[in-house]
Amino acid sequence: MKSKSTKMRIDKFLSNQGIGSRKDVRRLIQKGFITVNGHQIRQIDMKIDAIDDDIHYDGQKVHYHSLVYLMFNKPKNCITATEDSRHRVVMDFIEHPLKDKLFPVGRLDIDTTGLLILTNDGQLAHNLLSPKKHVDKTYHATLDEAINDSIIDAFNEGVKLDDGYVTKPAKLVKIPSREDAYSVEVTIQEGKFHQIKRMFSAYGIHVLELKRVKMGALQLDQDLGEGEFRELTREEYLDLSKK
Ligand code: URA
C-alpha cells in the first residue's frame, strides 16, 4: 500500500534529494529544468509523490533514495531520542517522508547544541560510533574558569573520570578568535556519558555551554540555525563515510 507520507511539495522533494537548497531548487523549477511524469513544471509548491511520480532534473532521473543522511543543528532543551513523554525530542524538528525510519547517530545532552547526524543507515552509524574507529568529535565549550597548560597536557594524556575510566587522549585548545581563556575547543575520540563535562569536572571546572561543531570530517553548517536540518551533500557524505 502506498504510504501517505511520500506525498510532498516538489521543491522539498528536490532539496531532500540533495539537488540544492530550497532557494536553488525553486530557481531550477521556475527556469523549467524539472519535469514530472514527462511534463515540464514551473510551480514550486506542486504536490508530487516521491515514489510514484517520475521526476527528472535537466533530463536526469531524480531517484528517491532510501538511505537518508541529515545534518541537524540541535537546540537546547531537546532530547536525543526518537520519542519521550516529557520533553521535545530531535525528531520533533524533522519533516521527512522517511522520518519514522531515522535515528540520531550518538547522543548529545539535553543542554548541548550543535551537530547531530540523523540517518537510517545503521552501518554508517556503527562506523561513526564504534570505539575502535576513533572518530573525532569536536566541541566548543564555555567554561566557568580559565584553563592552564597543565590541564591542556592532562587532556592530551587522557583524563581519569569519576568512575576511574581514563579517557583516550583529547585535544584542548583555546579558541583563537576569542580573547578570554574561558572559551575552548575540545576534540575527543569517544562518547562516554557526559564525557566533556566530566573531563573538566575532574579539574573543578564547570561547562556552561557546549556545542558540537564537527564529527569526523563533517563540519556543522554555520548557516543552519538551531532546530534546522538539511540533507548532507554528496561530498559531505563521502567524507564522512571515509573515516
Ligand atoms: N560531552 C558532554 O559532556 N555532553 C555532550 O552532550 C557531549 C559530550
Side-chain angles (χ1 to χ4, degrees), residues 189-226:
Q189 305 175 36
E190 353 161 54
K192 300 282 174 210
F193 185 61
H194 297 327
Q195 180 165 336
I196 291 182
K197 291 174 186 157
R198 289 162 72 208
M199 288 173 83
F200 282 107
S201 155
Y203 299 93
I205 296 175
H206 189 63
V207 175
L208 303 173
E209 299 275 339
L210 192 61
K211 176 177 185 174
R212 181 153 66 192
V213 294
K214 205 169 168 201
M215 192 160 177
L218 182 66
Q219 217 141 7
L220 177 66
D221 181 342
Q222 307 233 352
D223 292 335
L224 208 57
E226 284 184 12

PDB file of all heavy atoms in Angstrom, residues 189-226:
ATOM      1  N   GLN A 189      37.735  11.414  21.196  1.00  0.00           N
ATOM      2  CA  GLN A 189      37.636  10.296  20.237  1.00  0.00           C
ATOM      3  C   GLN A 189      36.557   9.305  20.600  1.00  0.00           C
ATOM      4  O   GLN A 189      36.360   8.317  19.923  1.00  0.00           O
ATOM      5  CB  GLN A 189      38.958   9.528  20.200  1.00  0.00           C
ATOM      6  CG  GLN A 189      40.156  10.365  19.910  1.00  0.00           C
ATOM      7  CD  GLN A 189      41.421   9.525  20.007  1.00  0.00           C
ATOM      8  OE1 GLN A 189      41.443   8.364  19.648  1.00  0.00           O
ATOM      9  NE2 GLN A 189      42.483  10.130  20.515  1.00  0.00           N
ATOM     10  N   GLU A 190      35.905   9.522  21.755  1.00  0.00           N
ATOM     11  CA  GLU A 190      34.879   8.563  22.177  1.00  0.00           C
ATOM     12  C   GLU A 190      33.644   9.341  22.575  1.00  0.00           C
ATOM     13  O   GLU A 190      33.596  10.542  22.385  1.00  0.00           O
ATOM     14  CB  GLU A 190      35.358   7.724  23.379  1.00  0.00           C
ATOM     15  CG  GLU A 190      36.774   7.998  23.664  1.00  0.00           C
ATOM     16  CD  GLU A 190      37.299   7.637  24.999  1.00  0.00           C
ATOM     17  OE1 GLU A 190      37.139   6.475  25.385  1.00  0.00           O
ATOM     18  OE2 GLU A 190      37.873   8.500  25.633  1.00  0.00           O
ATOM     19  N   GLY A 191      32.684   8.675  23.131  1.00  0.00           N
ATOM     20  CA  GLY A 191      31.452   9.373  23.503  1.00  0.00           C
ATOM     21  C   GLY A 191      30.875   8.800  24.779  1.00  0.00           C
ATOM     22  O   GLY A 191      29.741   8.334  24.815  1.00  0.00           O
ATOM     23  N   LYS A 192      31.689   8.849  25.847  1.00  0.00           N
ATOM     24  CA  LYS A 192      31.190   8.359  27.146  1.00  0.00           C
ATOM     25  C   LYS A 192      30.136   9.333  27.668  1.00  0.00           C
ATOM     26  O   LYS A 192      30.142  10.525  27.321  1.00  0.00           O
ATOM     27  CB  LYS A 192      32.345   8.279  28.165  1.00  0.00           C
ATOM     28  CG  LYS A 192      33.455   7.356  27.739  1.00  0.00           C
ATOM     29  CD  LYS A 192      33.106   5.914  27.966  1.00  0.00           C
ATOM     30  CE  LYS A 192      34.167   4.998  27.390  1.00  0.00           C
ATOM     31  NZ  LYS A 192      33.645   3.715  26.939  1.00  0.00           N
ATOM     32  N   PHE A 193      29.307   8.840  28.545  1.00  0.00           N
ATOM     33  CA  PHE A 193      28.227   9.636  29.121  1.00  0.00           C
ATOM     34  C   PHE A 193      28.760  10.954  29.724  1.00  0.00           C
ATOM     35  O   PHE A 193      29.668  10.927  30.555  1.00  0.00           O
ATOM     36  CB  PHE A 193      27.558   8.764  30.205  1.00  0.00           C
ATOM     37  CG  PHE A 193      26.348   9.353  30.824  1.00  0.00           C
ATOM     38  CD1 PHE A 193      25.222   9.650  30.073  1.00  0.00           C
ATOM     39  CD2 PHE A 193      26.322   9.613  32.191  1.00  0.00           C
ATOM     40  CE1 PHE A 193      24.092  10.184  30.660  1.00  0.00           C
ATOM     41  CE2 PHE A 193      25.201  10.149  32.797  1.00  0.00           C
ATOM     42  CZ  PHE A 193      24.085  10.434  32.020  1.00  0.00           C
ATOM     43  N   HIS A 194      28.235  12.087  29.306  1.00  0.00           N
ATOM     44  CA  HIS A 194      28.649  13.422  29.782  1.00  0.00           C
ATOM     45  C   HIS A 194      30.172  13.581  29.749  1.00  0.00           C
ATOM     46  O   HIS A 194      30.762  14.195  30.642  1.00  0.00           O
ATOM     47  CB  HIS A 194      28.202  13.670  31.226  1.00  0.00           C
ATOM     48  CG  HIS A 194      26.716  13.667  31.435  1.00  0.00           C
ATOM     49  ND1 HIS A 194      25.820  14.115  30.491  1.00  0.00           N
ATOM     50  CD2 HIS A 194      25.967  13.285  32.499  1.00  0.00           C
ATOM     51  CE1 HIS A 194      24.588  13.990  30.970  1.00  0.00           C
ATOM     52  NE2 HIS A 194      24.648  13.484  32.170  1.00  0.00           N
ATOM     53  N   GLN A 195      30.813  13.025  28.744  1.00  0.00           N
ATOM     54  CA  GLN A 195      32.277  12.913  28.793  1.00  0.00           C
ATOM     55  C   GLN A 195      32.987  14.249  28.995  1.00  0.00           C
ATOM     56  O   GLN A 195      33.884  14.364  29.835  1.00  0.00           O
ATOM     57  CB  GLN A 195      32.812  12.241  27.522  1.00  0.00           C
ATOM     58  CG  GLN A 195      34.336  12.110  27.554  1.00  0.00           C
ATOM     59  CD  GLN A 195      34.874  11.157  26.541  1.00  0.00           C
ATOM     60  OE1 GLN A 195      34.167  10.249  26.098  1.00  0.00           O
ATOM     61  NE2 GLN A 195      36.133  11.324  26.181  1.00  0.00           N
ATOM     62  N   ILE A 196      32.615  15.247  28.195  1.00  0.00           N
ATOM     63  CA  ILE A 196      33.374  16.507  28.279  1.00  0.00           C
ATOM     64  C   ILE A 196      33.129  17.193  29.630  1.00  0.00           C
ATOM     65  O   ILE A 196      34.059  17.680  30.274  1.00  0.00           O
ATOM     66  CB  ILE A 196      33.028  17.405  27.083  1.00  0.00           C
ATOM     67  CG1 ILE A 196      33.622  16.733  25.840  1.00  0.00           C
ATOM     68  CG2 ILE A 196      33.551  18.820  27.269  1.00  0.00           C
ATOM     69  CD1 ILE A 196      33.443  17.464  24.561  1.00  0.00           C
ATOM     70  N   LYS A 197      31.891  17.193  30.066  1.00  0.00           N
ATOM     71  CA  LYS A 197      31.594  17.817  31.366  1.00  0.00           C
ATOM     72  C   LYS A 197      32.382  17.120  32.477  1.00  0.00           C
ATOM     73  O   LYS A 197      32.922  17.770  33.368  1.00  0.00           O
ATOM     74  CB  LYS A 197      30.097  17.726  31.660  1.00  0.00           C
ATOM     75  CG  LYS A 197      29.276  18.609  30.737  1.00  0.00           C
ATOM     76  CD  LYS A 197      27.798  18.383  30.947  1.00  0.00           C
ATOM     77  CE  LYS A 197      27.000  19.154  29.912  1.00  0.00           C
ATOM     78  NZ  LYS A 197      25.671  18.591  29.692  1.00  0.00           N
ATOM     79  N   ARG A 198      32.454  15.803  32.386  1.00  0.00           N
ATOM     80  CA  ARG A 198      33.168  15.051  33.435  1.00  0.00           C
ATOM     81  C   ARG A 198      34.681  15.246  33.331  1.00  0.00           C
ATOM     82  O   ARG A 198      35.391  15.236  34.343  1.00  0.00           O
ATOM     83  CB  ARG A 198      32.798  13.572  33.356  1.00  0.00           C
ATOM     84  CG  ARG A 198      31.364  13.330  33.817  1.00  0.00           C
ATOM     85  CD  ARG A 198      30.855  11.997  33.338  1.00  0.00           C
ATOM     86  NE  ARG A 198      31.458  10.876  34.026  1.00  0.00           N
ATOM     87  CZ  ARG A 198      31.613   9.671  33.473  1.00  0.00           C
ATOM     88  NH1 ARG A 198      31.230   9.443  32.234  1.00  0.00           N
ATOM     89  NH2 ARG A 198      32.168   8.694  34.153  1.00  0.00           N
ATOM     90  N   MET A 199      35.186  15.440  32.115  1.00  0.00           N
ATOM     91  CA  MET A 199      36.634  15.679  31.978  1.00  0.00           C
ATOM     92  C   MET A 199      37.007  17.011  32.633  1.00  0.00           C
ATOM     93  O   MET A 199      38.006  17.107  33.352  1.00  0.00           O
ATOM     94  CB  MET A 199      37.037  15.677  30.494  1.00  0.00           C
ATOM     95  CG  MET A 199      37.002  14.287  29.870  1.00  0.00           C
ATOM     96  SD  MET A 199      37.276  14.306  28.093  1.00  0.00           S
ATOM     97  CE  MET A 199      39.071  14.361  28.024  1.00  0.00           C
ATOM     98  N   PHE A 200      36.203  18.043  32.394  1.00  0.00           N
ATOM     99  CA  PHE A 200      36.509  19.338  33.030  1.00  0.00           C
ATOM    100  C   PHE A 200      36.252  19.275  34.526  1.00  0.00           C
ATOM    101  O   PHE A 200      36.994  19.855  35.324  1.00  0.00           O
ATOM    102  CB  PHE A 200      35.696  20.463  32.379  1.00  0.00           C
ATOM    103  CG  PHE A 200      36.269  20.888  31.055  1.00  0.00           C
ATOM    104  CD1 PHE A 200      35.653  20.565  29.876  1.00  0.00           C
ATOM    105  CD2 PHE A 200      37.464  21.607  31.008  1.00  0.00           C
ATOM    106  CE1 PHE A 200      36.192  20.940  28.644  1.00  0.00           C
ATOM    107  CE2 PHE A 200      38.024  21.989  29.794  1.00  0.00           C
ATOM    108  CZ  PHE A 200      37.381  21.652  28.616  1.00  0.00           C
ATOM    109  N   SER A 201      35.210  18.570  34.882  1.00  0.00           N
ATOM    110  CA  SER A 201      34.855  18.469  36.295  1.00  0.00           C
ATOM    111  C   SER A 201      35.992  17.827  37.105  1.00  0.00           C
ATOM    112  O   SER A 201      36.177  18.130  38.286  1.00  0.00           O
ATOM    113  CB  SER A 201      33.532  17.711  36.365  1.00  0.00           C
ATOM    114  OG  SER A 201      33.363  17.103  37.551  1.00  0.00           O
ATOM    115  N   ALA A 202      36.794  16.969  36.451  1.00  0.00           N
ATOM    116  CA  ALA A 202      37.955  16.367  37.132  1.00  0.00           C
ATOM    117  C   ALA A 202      38.942  17.451  37.588  1.00  0.00           C
ATOM    118  O   ALA A 202      39.772  17.221  38.466  1.00  0.00           O
ATOM    119  CB  ALA A 202      38.644  15.376  36.201  1.00  0.00           C
ATOM    120  N   TYR A 203      38.850  18.639  36.993  1.00  0.00           N
ATOM    121  CA  TYR A 203      39.733  19.763  37.381  1.00  0.00           C
ATOM    122  C   TYR A 203      38.929  20.885  38.038  1.00  0.00           C
ATOM    123  O   TYR A 203      39.376  22.034  38.078  1.00  0.00           O
ATOM    124  CB  TYR A 203      40.512  20.269  36.146  1.00  0.00           C
ATOM    125  CG  TYR A 203      41.352  19.144  35.614  1.00  0.00           C
ATOM    126  CD1 TYR A 203      40.863  18.307  34.617  1.00  0.00           C
ATOM    127  CD2 TYR A 203      42.581  18.852  36.184  1.00  0.00           C
ATOM    128  CE1 TYR A 203      41.579  17.213  34.187  1.00  0.00           C
ATOM    129  CE2 TYR A 203      43.314  17.753  35.763  1.00  0.00           C
ATOM    130  CZ  TYR A 203      42.804  16.937  34.766  1.00  0.00           C
ATOM    131  OH  TYR A 203      43.519  15.846  34.372  1.00  0.00           O
ATOM    132  N   GLY A 204      37.747  20.561  38.518  1.00  0.00           N
ATOM    133  CA  GLY A 204      36.912  21.541  39.227  1.00  0.00           C
ATOM    134  C   GLY A 204      36.315  22.601  38.313  1.00  0.00           C
ATOM    135  O   GLY A 204      35.903  23.666  38.778  1.00  0.00           O
ATOM    136  N   ILE A 205      36.289  22.326  37.018  1.00  0.00           N
ATOM    137  CA  ILE A 205      35.768  23.325  36.070  1.00  0.00           C
ATOM    138  C   ILE A 205      34.380  22.895  35.584  1.00  0.00           C
ATOM    139  O   ILE A 205      34.150  21.715  35.285  1.00  0.00           O
ATOM    140  CB  ILE A 205      36.739  23.487  34.869  1.00  0.00           C
ATOM    141  CG1 ILE A 205      38.069  24.030  35.387  1.00  0.00           C
ATOM    142  CG2 ILE A 205      36.150  24.399  33.802  1.00  0.00           C
ATOM    143  CD1 ILE A 205      39.147  24.106  34.310  1.00  0.00           C
ATOM    144  N   HIS A 206      33.506  23.889  35.517  1.00  0.00           N
ATOM    145  CA  HIS A 206      32.126  23.603  35.126  1.00  0.00           C
ATOM    146  C   HIS A 206      31.913  24.068  33.683  1.00  0.00           C
ATOM    147  O   HIS A 206      32.331  25.163  33.316  1.00  0.00           O
ATOM    148  CB  HIS A 206      31.229  24.380  36.103  1.00  0.00           C
ATOM    149  CG  HIS A 206      29.796  24.040  35.987  1.00  0.00           C
ATOM    150  ND1 HIS A 206      29.305  22.775  36.242  1.00  0.00           N
ATOM    151  CD2 HIS A 206      28.735  24.795  35.645  1.00  0.00           C
ATOM    152  CE1 HIS A 206      28.009  22.778  36.056  1.00  0.00           C
ATOM    153  NE2 HIS A 206      27.624  23.991  35.679  1.00  0.00           N
ATOM    154  N   VAL A 207      31.277  23.208  32.887  1.00  0.00           N
ATOM    155  CA  VAL A 207      30.975  23.586  31.487  1.00  0.00           C
ATOM    156  C   VAL A 207      29.645  24.327  31.468  1.00  0.00           C
ATOM    157  O   VAL A 207      28.608  23.788  31.869  1.00  0.00           O
ATOM    158  CB  VAL A 207      30.901  22.329  30.578  1.00  0.00           C
ATOM    159  CG1 VAL A 207      30.474  22.711  29.163  1.00  0.00           C
ATOM    160  CG2 VAL A 207      32.241  21.605  30.541  1.00  0.00           C
ATOM    161  N   LEU A 208      29.674  25.583  31.005  1.00  0.00           N
ATOM    162  CA  LEU A 208      28.451  26.392  30.986  1.00  0.00           C
ATOM    163  C   LEU A 208      27.667  26.200  29.687  1.00  0.00           C
ATOM    164  O   LEU A 208      26.439  26.197  29.692  1.00  0.00           O
ATOM    165  CB  LEU A 208      28.805  27.882  31.155  1.00  0.00           C
ATOM    166  CG  LEU A 208      29.606  28.232  32.412  1.00  0.00           C
ATOM    167  CD1 LEU A 208      30.028  29.691  32.384  1.00  0.00           C
ATOM    168  CD2 LEU A 208      28.788  27.923  33.662  1.00  0.00           C
ATOM    169  N   GLU A 209      28.401  26.078  28.588  1.00  0.00           N
ATOM    170  CA  GLU A 209      27.763  25.899  27.274  1.00  0.00           C
ATOM    171  C   GLU A 209      28.577  24.873  26.506  1.00  0.00           C
ATOM    172  O   GLU A 209      29.812  24.902  26.573  1.00  0.00           O
ATOM    173  CB  GLU A 209      27.809  27.190  26.442  1.00  0.00           C
ATOM    174  CG  GLU A 209      27.110  28.388  27.036  1.00  0.00           C
ATOM    175  CD  GLU A 209      25.637  28.408  26.722  1.00  0.00           C
ATOM    176  OE1 GLU A 209      25.227  27.739  25.740  1.00  0.00           O
ATOM    177  OE2 GLU A 209      24.893  29.078  27.454  1.00  0.00           O
ATOM    178  N   LEU A 210      27.893  24.041  25.752  1.00  0.00           N
ATOM    179  CA  LEU A 210      28.604  23.040  24.957  1.00  0.00           C
ATOM    180  C   LEU A 210      27.918  22.899  23.606  1.00  0.00           C
ATOM    181  O   LEU A 210      26.689  22.758  23.536  1.00  0.00           O
ATOM    182  CB  LEU A 210      28.592  21.695  25.703  1.00  0.00           C
ATOM    183  CG  LEU A 210      29.509  20.599  25.168  1.00  0.00           C
ATOM    184  CD1 LEU A 210      30.975  21.036  25.209  1.00  0.00           C
ATOM    185  CD2 LEU A 210      29.348  19.313  25.991  1.00  0.00           C
ATOM    186  N   LYS A 211      28.747  22.973  22.560  1.00  0.00           N
ATOM    187  CA  LYS A 211      28.192  22.855  21.207  1.00  0.00           C
ATOM    188  C   LYS A 211      29.091  21.950  20.381  1.00  0.00           C
ATOM    189  O   LYS A 211      30.309  22.162  20.329  1.00  0.00           O
ATOM    190  CB  LYS A 211      28.163  24.258  20.570  1.00  0.00           C
ATOM    191  CG  LYS A 211      27.697  24.271  19.138  1.00  0.00           C
ATOM    192  CD  LYS A 211      27.622  25.699  18.609  1.00  0.00           C
ATOM    193  CE  LYS A 211      27.043  25.711  17.217  1.00  0.00           C
ATOM    194  NZ  LYS A 211      26.820  27.063  16.720  1.00  0.00           N
ATOM    195  N   ARG A 212      28.512  20.936  19.721  1.00  0.00           N
ATOM    196  CA  ARG A 212      29.346  20.100  18.843  1.00  0.00           C
ATOM    197  C   ARG A 212      29.419  20.783  17.483  1.00  0.00           C
ATOM    198  O   ARG A 212      28.392  21.161  16.911  1.00  0.00           O
ATOM    199  CB  ARG A 212      28.767  18.697  18.703  1.00  0.00           C
ATOM    200  CG  ARG A 212      29.664  17.846  17.805  1.00  0.00           C
ATOM    201  CD  ARG A 212      29.580  16.378  18.088  1.00  0.00           C
ATOM    202  NE  ARG A 212      28.283  15.842  17.778  1.00  0.00           N
ATOM    203  CZ  ARG A 212      27.869  14.628  18.142  1.00  0.00           C
ATOM    204  NH1 ARG A 212      28.655  13.863  18.870  1.00  0.00           N
ATOM    205  NH2 ARG A 212      26.678  14.202  17.825  1.00  0.00           N
ATOM    206  N   VAL A 213      30.659  20.913  16.984  1.00  0.00           N
ATOM    207  CA  VAL A 213      30.856  21.620  15.707  1.00  0.00           C
ATOM    208  C   VAL A 213      31.380  20.712  14.602  1.00  0.00           C
ATOM    209  O   VAL A 213      31.347  21.082  13.428  1.00  0.00           O
ATOM    210  CB  VAL A 213      31.807  22.838  15.880  1.00  0.00           C
ATOM    211  CG1 VAL A 213      31.164  23.907  16.759  1.00  0.00           C
ATOM    212  CG2 VAL A 213      33.162  22.413  16.444  1.00  0.00           C
ATOM    213  N   LYS A 214      31.856  19.525  14.972  1.00  0.00           N
ATOM    214  CA  LYS A 214      32.447  18.660  13.951  1.00  0.00           C
ATOM    215  C   LYS A 214      32.368  17.198  14.378  1.00  0.00           C
ATOM    216  O   LYS A 214      32.493  16.900  15.575  1.00  0.00           O
ATOM    217  CB  LYS A 214      33.919  19.059  13.779  1.00  0.00           C
ATOM    218  CG  LYS A 214      34.502  18.723  12.452  1.00  0.00           C
ATOM    219  CD  LYS A 214      35.851  19.387  12.259  1.00  0.00           C
ATOM    220  CE  LYS A 214      36.510  18.767  11.046  1.00  0.00           C
ATOM    221  NZ  LYS A 214      37.925  18.936  11.016  1.00  0.00           N
ATOM    222  N   MET A 215      32.167  16.327  13.409  1.00  0.00           N
ATOM    223  CA  MET A 215      32.192  14.885  13.675  1.00  0.00           C
ATOM    224  C   MET A 215      32.937  14.253  12.513  1.00  0.00           C
ATOM    225  O   MET A 215      32.487  14.378  11.354  1.00  0.00           O
ATOM    226  CB  MET A 215      30.770  14.373  13.747  1.00  0.00           C
ATOM    227  CG  MET A 215      30.667  12.997  14.292  1.00  0.00           C
ATOM    228  SD  MET A 215      28.983  12.715  14.874  1.00  0.00           S
ATOM    229  CE  MET A 215      29.131  11.030  15.380  1.00  0.00           C
ATOM    230  N   GLY A 216      34.069  13.587  12.767  1.00  0.00           N
ATOM    231  CA  GLY A 216      34.912  13.126  11.669  1.00  0.00           C
ATOM    232  C   GLY A 216      35.242  14.340  10.807  1.00  0.00           C
ATOM    233  O   GLY A 216      35.637  15.383  11.315  1.00  0.00           O
ATOM    234  N   ALA A 217      35.046  14.192   9.486  1.00  0.00           N
ATOM    235  CA  ALA A 217      35.358  15.309   8.583  1.00  0.00           C
ATOM    236  C   ALA A 217      34.162  16.248   8.398  1.00  0.00           C
ATOM    237  O   ALA A 217      34.247  17.235   7.682  1.00  0.00           O
ATOM    238  CB  ALA A 217      35.769  14.745   7.223  1.00  0.00           C
ATOM    239  N   LEU A 218      33.060  15.941   9.035  1.00  0.00           N
ATOM    240  CA  LEU A 218      31.831  16.714   8.795  1.00  0.00           C
ATOM    241  C   LEU A 218      31.704  17.886   9.760  1.00  0.00           C
ATOM    242  O   LEU A 218      31.649  17.714  10.975  1.00  0.00           O
ATOM    243  CB  LEU A 218      30.610  15.806   8.954  1.00  0.00           C
ATOM    244  CG  LEU A 218      29.270  16.486   8.684  1.00  0.00           C
ATOM    245  CD1 LEU A 218      29.147  16.883   7.219  1.00  0.00           C
ATOM    246  CD2 LEU A 218      28.116  15.580   9.090  1.00  0.00           C
ATOM    247  N   GLN A 219      31.632  19.084   9.175  1.00  0.00           N
ATOM    248  CA  GLN A 219      31.548  20.296   9.965  1.00  0.00           C
ATOM    249  C   GLN A 219      30.101  20.802  10.008  1.00  0.00           C
ATOM    250  O   GLN A 219      29.409  20.717   8.982  1.00  0.00           O
ATOM    251  CB  GLN A 219      32.397  21.362   9.272  1.00  0.00           C
ATOM    252  CG  GLN A 219      33.106  22.220  10.240  1.00  0.00           C
ATOM    253  CD  GLN A 219      34.508  22.562   9.767  1.00  0.00           C
ATOM    254  OE1 GLN A 219      34.900  22.245   8.646  1.00  0.00           O
ATOM    255  NE2 GLN A 219      35.256  23.201  10.626  1.00  0.00           N
ATOM    256  N   LEU A 220      29.684  21.312  11.136  1.00  0.00           N
ATOM    257  CA  LEU A 220      28.335  21.883  11.219  1.00  0.00           C
ATOM    258  C   LEU A 220      28.243  23.087  10.282  1.00  0.00           C
ATOM    259  O   LEU A 220      29.086  23.980  10.331  1.00  0.00           O
ATOM    260  CB  LEU A 220      28.037  22.313  12.660  1.00  0.00           C
ATOM    261  CG  LEU A 220      26.690  22.994  12.892  1.00  0.00           C
ATOM    262  CD1 LEU A 220      25.526  22.031  12.639  1.00  0.00           C
ATOM    263  CD2 LEU A 220      26.590  23.547  14.308  1.00  0.00           C
ATOM    264  N   ASP A 221      27.232  23.102   9.441  1.00  0.00           N
ATOM    265  CA  ASP A 221      26.995  24.214   8.513  1.00  0.00           C
ATOM    266  C   ASP A 221      26.593  25.445   9.336  1.00  0.00           C
ATOM    267  O   ASP A 221      25.600  25.420  10.056  1.00  0.00           O
ATOM    268  CB  ASP A 221      25.859  23.788   7.563  1.00  0.00           C
ATOM    269  CG  ASP A 221      25.525  24.845   6.536  1.00  0.00           C
ATOM    270  OD1 ASP A 221      25.900  26.019   6.725  1.00  0.00           O
ATOM    271  OD2 ASP A 221      24.864  24.478   5.549  1.00  0.00           O
ATOM    272  N   GLN A 222      27.399  26.504   9.202  1.00  0.00           N
ATOM    273  CA  GLN A 222      27.162  27.708  10.014  1.00  0.00           C
ATOM    274  C   GLN A 222      25.854  28.395   9.650  1.00  0.00           C
ATOM    275  O   GLN A 222      25.348  29.216  10.407  1.00  0.00           O
ATOM    276  CB  GLN A 222      28.309  28.695   9.795  1.00  0.00           C
ATOM    277  CG  GLN A 222      29.655  28.084  10.020  1.00  0.00           C
ATOM    278  CD  GLN A 222      30.482  28.882  10.992  1.00  0.00           C
ATOM    279  OE1 GLN A 222      30.102  29.970  11.379  1.00  0.00           O
ATOM    280  NE2 GLN A 222      31.608  28.350  11.394  1.00  0.00           N
ATOM    281  N   ASP A 223      25.336  28.086   8.461  1.00  0.00           N
ATOM    282  CA  ASP A 223      24.075  28.708   8.041  1.00  0.00           C
ATOM    283  C   ASP A 223      22.848  27.963   8.550  1.00  0.00           C
ATOM    284  O   ASP A 223      21.721  28.376   8.299  1.00  0.00           O
ATOM    285  CB  ASP A 223      23.986  28.758   6.499  1.00  0.00           C
ATOM    286  CG  ASP A 223      24.996  29.719   5.930  1.00  0.00           C
ATOM    287  OD1 ASP A 223      25.399  30.658   6.650  1.00  0.00           O
ATOM    288  OD2 ASP A 223      25.402  29.527   4.764  1.00  0.00           O
ATOM    289  N   LEU A 224      23.100  26.855   9.217  1.00  0.00           N
ATOM    290  CA  LEU A 224      21.980  26.060   9.713  1.00  0.00           C
ATOM    291  C   LEU A 224      21.632  26.556  11.122  1.00  0.00           C
ATOM    292  O   LEU A 224      22.435  26.420  12.038  1.00  0.00           O
ATOM    293  CB  LEU A 224      22.423  24.585   9.760  1.00  0.00           C
ATOM    294  CG  LEU A 224      21.412  23.484   9.616  1.00  0.00           C
ATOM    295  CD1 LEU A 224      20.630  23.599   8.317  1.00  0.00           C
ATOM    296  CD2 LEU A 224      22.107  22.132   9.683  1.00  0.00           C
ATOM    297  N   GLY A 225      20.459  27.160  11.270  1.00  0.00           N
ATOM    298  CA  GLY A 225      20.062  27.681  12.584  1.00  0.00           C
ATOM    299  C   GLY A 225      19.733  26.534  13.537  1.00  0.00           C
ATOM    300  O   GLY A 225      19.509  25.405  13.096  1.00  0.00           O
ATOM    301  N   GLU A 226      19.681  26.844  14.842  1.00  0.00           N
ATOM    302  CA  GLU A 226      19.322  25.787  15.803  1.00  0.00           C
ATOM    303  C   GLU A 226      17.915  25.296  15.514  1.00  0.00           C
ATOM    304  O   GLU A 226      17.009  26.104  15.272  1.00  0.00           O
ATOM    305  CB  GLU A 226      19.429  26.320  17.230  1.00  0.00           C
ATOM    306  CG  GLU A 226      20.873  26.415  17.651  1.00  0.00           C
ATOM    307  CD  GLU A 226      21.062  26.852  19.096  1.00  0.00           C
ATOM    308  OE1 GLU A 226      20.079  26.879  19.862  1.00  0.00           O
ATOM    309  OE2 GLU A 226      22.207  27.182  19.441  1.00  0.00           O
TER     310      GLU A 226
END
